[in-house]
Amino acid sequence: MALDSGLGRRIAACLCVGWALIGFSAFAKSQDASTIHPELWAAAPSGVLIRPEIETRIDQLLGQMTLDEKIGQMVQADIDAITPEDLKHYKLGSILAGGYAAPGHNVRSTPQAWLDLVDAYARAEVEPDGSGRKPVPILFGIDAVHGHAKIIGATIFPHNVALGAMRDPALMVKIGRATAEEVAATGIDWAFAPTLAVVRDPRWGRSYESYSEDPRLVASYATSMVTGLQGEIGTSDFMAPGHVLASAKHFLGDGGTENGRDQGLNVASEQVLANVHGAGYPAAIAAGTLSVMASYHSWQGTKMHAHHALLTDVLKGRFGFDGFAVGDWNAQEEIPGCTKFNCPETILAGIDMIMAPDSWKQIYENTLAEARSGEIPAARIDDAVRRILRAKALAGLLDEPLPKDRLAAGKFDRIGSAEHRAIAREAVRKSLVLLKNQHGLLPLKPQSKLLVTGPGADDIGVQAGGWTVDWQGDHNSNADFPGATSIYAGIKNAVTAAGGTATLSPDGSFTDRPDVAIVVFGEKPYAEFEGDLETLEFSPADRSALALLRKLHAQKIPVVAVFLSGRVIWVNRELNASDAFVAAWLPGSEGEGIADVLFTKPDGGVAYDFTGKLGFSWPRTAMPVRFDAADKPVDPLFPRGYGLSYHSHTELALLPEDPKPAADRGQPGTIFQAGHPTAPYSIYLVDDLAQIRMTTKLMPSPNGAATVALVNDGQAAIAWSGTGAATLKIAKKADDLSGFAKAGGAVSIRYRVDNAPASSVSFELICGETCKAALDATPIFKSAPVGRWQTIDIPLACFAEKGGDLTKVEAPFALKTDGLFGLTIASVTLHKEAVGAICPGV
Ligand code: BGC
Ligand code: BGC
C-alpha cells in the first residue's frame, strides 16, 4: 500500500500556486496563539489519577513494549472500518462505534448483538501475537451522550440543554450512573461524554449538547456527570463494575465559535477562553475524568488539534490532567499540512490517541515511520502511551475478564430498567421551563376533554433528537423505542385514569370541540453541523406549526404549546399564538414526564410544579443574545434563570413579530452569500485522496488539487492547481427539490473567472453517495471574459435529464475540474423563476 508520509509537506508546496494566483496572504495565521499566560488559568489539583503501584506497572509495560505496540495504543479505529481479524495483526489502543456504526451495519441491533460484537473485538485484541507477552486490552468507546441512546430499548435521558434547566447536580450523578450501567451491560468501556461546551451562540447545531451558557453551571455538572459515569474518585466506587470511562469534550472553546459555526473560529480572548469556555475542565479533571476529547474548531487561527499551548501547557500542565487526550473524528485532517492519514503535528501538540475511524491503518504506519525517524520524539510517545495505559489500568481493564465474562455485562434488564426510566422521567419533569401561562391556564384538570396535536405529539424520535439510534437521529419511528412513551401517550395515560379524554389529531381538526388543545411541535432531529442555523428564527421554511396554533387560537380554544427544541430560539409568533408555552427541550424516552407537570392530581391539587429555569438567555430577535465585557447577557427576552411556576401570576404581553435578522443572514434561497455558506450548508472539497469540510477561511483539498479561500469582500475564491481532479461542493442533508424544479426552479451563480480553465469543467448536482448528475460547463467558463462578473442560471430540471434524483438533493451546486482554473464566486442561490435559462452543455 502506498502510505505516503511526505504527502502533507508536498501539499504545502502546491499551495503556493494558489497563493500566487489569488493572493491568500491575508489569511496567514493572524495571531500568535502559540503561547499562553499560565496565570490566567485555574490550577486544578493534580495527581488524582496517580497511584504509585500503577505507575510502576506502567514502567514495566513500557519497558517491554515494542515501538509498533506503542504506536498501536495511540490509534483508534471505527468498527465500520476494522474487523476483529484486523486486531490480530494491528494491536490498536481503541475502537469506537461512530454515529452510523453498529453490529452488522444494523443500528437497530439487539443489546446481545452489541455485546457479541464488543466481545469479539476484545478477544481478537488479546490473542497472543508471538511476543510471548499478553497484549494490552482494547478500549471500546461510544457516544452515550444522553443515555446509551444508540442501543434499542435504552433509557434515553433528556439532552444536556434540558438537564441544565433542571439545576440538579445530584440527579446528574444518578443519570451518569444509570448511563454507565447500560453502557457496561453491552460490554462497552467508554462514553464520549460529558460535553462541557459553554455555548454563546445557539445557532450552533450542537447547542443541545451544552448544559448552559453559564460556566458555573457547566462546571458543577462536569463534576456530577464524571462522577456518575466513572464513580467517585478516591473511593472504591471509582471505575468499579458498572462504571465506564468519561470523556470531557470538546477541549477547548467549542461553544464559542463565530456565528455559532460548527468546527469554526473562536476568537475569544485568552481570559474569556479560560474563564468562560474552560470552566468545566478543572472540575472534570478533579473528578478524575480519564480522557478529554479535543475539539475541531480553531482558537485565534490555530486548530485545537494542533494547539500545543492549550493541549499540553494548559490541559496537562496547568490543569494537571494525567489521563489521555483523544482526538475527534478525523479532526487531524483539518490541520494545515496534515491529511487524515498522516499528522505528526497533532501528536506533537499533545493528542495521545488519534480518532482515525477509516484512516487508522495509514496513520498507524505513518506515525510509526515518524517515530522511527525521530520526527516524533520517543519521550512524547512514551508520555502518550503512559497516559493511555494509566487510564486502562485505573479502569481495571488490564486485569479484567473479557467483556462477556464481566460482572456488569449481559445484564440486559438494566437497559431501559424501570429504575432508570424513573430517573429520566424525573429529569423531564424538572427540566420543563414554563415561559407563558396566561390567566393560569395550567395546570389542567385531568378530567378535561383534550385535543393533542402537532408533529411532535406522538413521535419519540422527535422528542429524542440527534445522537439517538444513529448520528442524526432523523430516521426513527416509535417502533424503535420499545418501553418508551410519547408525549401523547403520557397525556392519554394521565387523563384516562382520571376520567378525561385525550384525542390525537395530527392536523388539529376535531368533531367534538375540546376544552383545551395541546400542540406539540418544534425542531426536527439533527446533529453537529447539520443543525447549524443562519438565524434563530424558528422554522422559517415551514410555518405549518404556527398555522396550527393560530387556527386553534382563532377558534378560541385555549392552546398549550409544548415546544421541543435543542436550543433557545426565536418563537415570538408562536408565543403570541399560545395561551401557555412550555419549553420542553429534547426530553428523550420518557414522555410522561410532561403530563406529570401539566395536569393536577384528580383532586385538583398540584402534582408537580414547574421548577425548570432557563440555562440560556432566550433571544428577543432572530439574532443571538450578546454578552457584554462583564460577561452579562444583553437584553434577552427571558433572562437566564427565568421560568414561571404555578405560584407566578405573570401575564405576557403580545410580542413583536419581526425577527430582525442581520442583513447578510438567511435570505430565502441562499446557499452561499456574503462570504459564507448559508447554514446548514457547508463547503466541501473533494479530491482523489478524500473529502474535507471547510472550517477555516483558507483550506486546500486533501491532496492539494484545489484551494478555497473565503475572501474579505464576501466571496469564495477557488483555485484548482491542475494536479488532479477536485470538486467544490456546497451541501447539507438531502432536500426534496423535485417540486421546486418542476416549477422552473434554478440554481443561480454569480461568478468571475480569474484564470481560464485549462481542462474540462462540469456543474454537478449530488444526490447521495452514488447519485450525481453532471453538465458540461467547459464552453461557459472558457468563453467567459476573465476578470468580469457574470451570472448563470441553471434550471434544476437539467440535472434530472442527466440522471439526478431531485427528491434527495444534497448539493444543488458542485463544480469539478482537473486542470488549472481560478474562479471567484459571489453568490449561489436557488431561485424560482429562471426566465429563458437553458441547460448548459446541451
Ligand atoms: C463528534 C464527537 C463524537 C465523535 C465520535 C465527532 O464527530 O464531534 O463528539 O464523540 O464524533 O462519534
Ligand atoms: C459518524 C459520527 C461522527 C460524524 C463526524 C459520522 O459519520 O458516524 O460518529 O461524529 O460522522 O462527521
Side-chain angles (χ1 to χ4, degrees), residues 96-99 142-143 145 192 195 206 209 249-250 263 293-294 296 328-329 355 467 471 528:
L96 87 152
I142 197 163
D143 286 290
V145 297
F192 301 136
T195 296
R206 305 191 79 154
E209 297 186 51
K249 70 186 190 183
H250 307 82
Q263 309 183 8
M293 189 186 291
Y296 277 114
D328 203 345
W329 185 274
M355 190 186 289
W467 295 110
W471 183 37
E528 299 190 42

Side-chain angles (χ1 to χ4, degrees), residues 246-404:
S247 203
K249 70 186 190 183
H250 307 82
F251 188 85
L252 181 79
D254 49 348
T257 57
E258 277 184 328
N259 297 310
R261 280 309 160 101
D262 190 42
Q263 309 183 8
L265 315 173
N266 184 326
V267 296
S269 67
E270 189 180 337
Q271 192 134 28
V272 168
L273 195 68
N275 297 343
V276 174
H277 300 290
Y281 289 89
I285 291 163
T289 190
L290 290 167
S291 74
V292 165
M293 189 186 291
S295 177
Y296 277 114
H297 77 279
S298 317
W299 179 56
Q300 295 191 354
T302 305
K303 280 280 176 188
M304 282 307 311
H305 279 68
H307 214 298
H308 186 274
L310 291 173
L311 287 174
T312 298
D313 303 343
V314 170
L315 177 63
K316 298 174 179 177
R318 191 73 180 161
F319 287 171
F321 173 59
D322 294 317
F324 66 97
V326 62
D328 203 345
W329 185 274
N330 274 333
Q332 70 278 4
E333 73 183 341
E334 297 183 15
I335 297 172
C338 288
T339 65
K340 66 178 172 178
F341 305 117
N342 186 20
C343 192
E345 286 84 342
T346 196
I347 295 168
L348 292 171
I351 292 293
D352 302 309
M353 181 187 281
I354 303 182
M355 190 186 289
D358 55 347
S359 46
W360 60 271
K361 198 180 279 180
Q362 295 92 332
I363 215 153
Y364 166 77
E365 300 286 2
N366 287 326
T367 308
L368 186 58
E370 286 143 9
R372 288 204 177 113
S373 75
E375 183 174 0
I376 306 175
R380 174 73 270 270
I381 289 164
D382 281 352
D383 171 57
V385 179
R386 173 177 293 279
R387 289 166 178 277
I388 295 164
L389 294 178
R390 181 182 291 135
K392 288 185 174 181
L394 287 166
L397 260 177
L398 298 186
D399 309 303
E400 212 172 45
L402 289 166
K404 276 194 176 168

Side-chain angles (χ1 to χ4, degrees), residues 20-74:
L21 266 177
I22 43 180
F24 288 129
S25 44
F27 300 95
K29 277 187 195 174
S30 50
Q31 292 179 55
D32 181 19
S34 60
T35 54
I36 43 108
H37 300 84
E39 69 282 4
L40 290 179
W41 299 83
S46 61
V48 293
L49 298 181
I50 303 298
R51 314 261 163 88
E53 66 289 1
I54 287 182
E55 298 305 311
T56 309
R57 189 166 175 196
I58 298 173
D59 290 338
Q60 281 161 3
L61 280 171
L62 282 175
Q64 297 163 343
M65 285 167 82
T66 62
L67 192 55
D68 306 45
E69 288 168 342
K70 289 179 183 174
I71 302 301
Q73 288 301 307
M74 297 170 66

Side-chain angles (χ1 to χ4, degrees), residues 161-167 427-437 442 560-565 568 575 580-586 593-594 597-598 609-616 618 638-646:
V161 62
L163 301 179
M166 149 183 116
R167 313 281 164 106
V428 174
R429 287 196 294 264
K430 290 182 167 170
S431 61
L432 304 176
V433 179
L434 183 61
L435 295 179
K436 179 174 183 178
N437 191 19
L442 295 176
V560 177
V562 175
F563 184 59
L564 302 175
S565 73
V568 292
L575 279 160
F581 195 102
V582 179
W585 317 110
L586 299 170
I594 291 165
V597 185
L598 293 188
D609 200 347
F610 281 92
T611 55
K613 306 284 175 215
L614 294 178
F616 291 86
W618 201 285
F638 303 116
R640 178 167 85 216
Y642 188 82
L644 304 174
S645 76
Y646 288 142

Side-chain angles (χ1 to χ4, degrees), residues 743-754:
V747 51
S748 177
I749 305 131
R750 179 129 181 93
Y751 68 94
R752 186 187 70 205
V753 171
D754 301 319

Side-chain angles (χ1 to χ4, degrees), residues 182 599 616:
E182 299 200 10
F599 295 95
F616 291 86

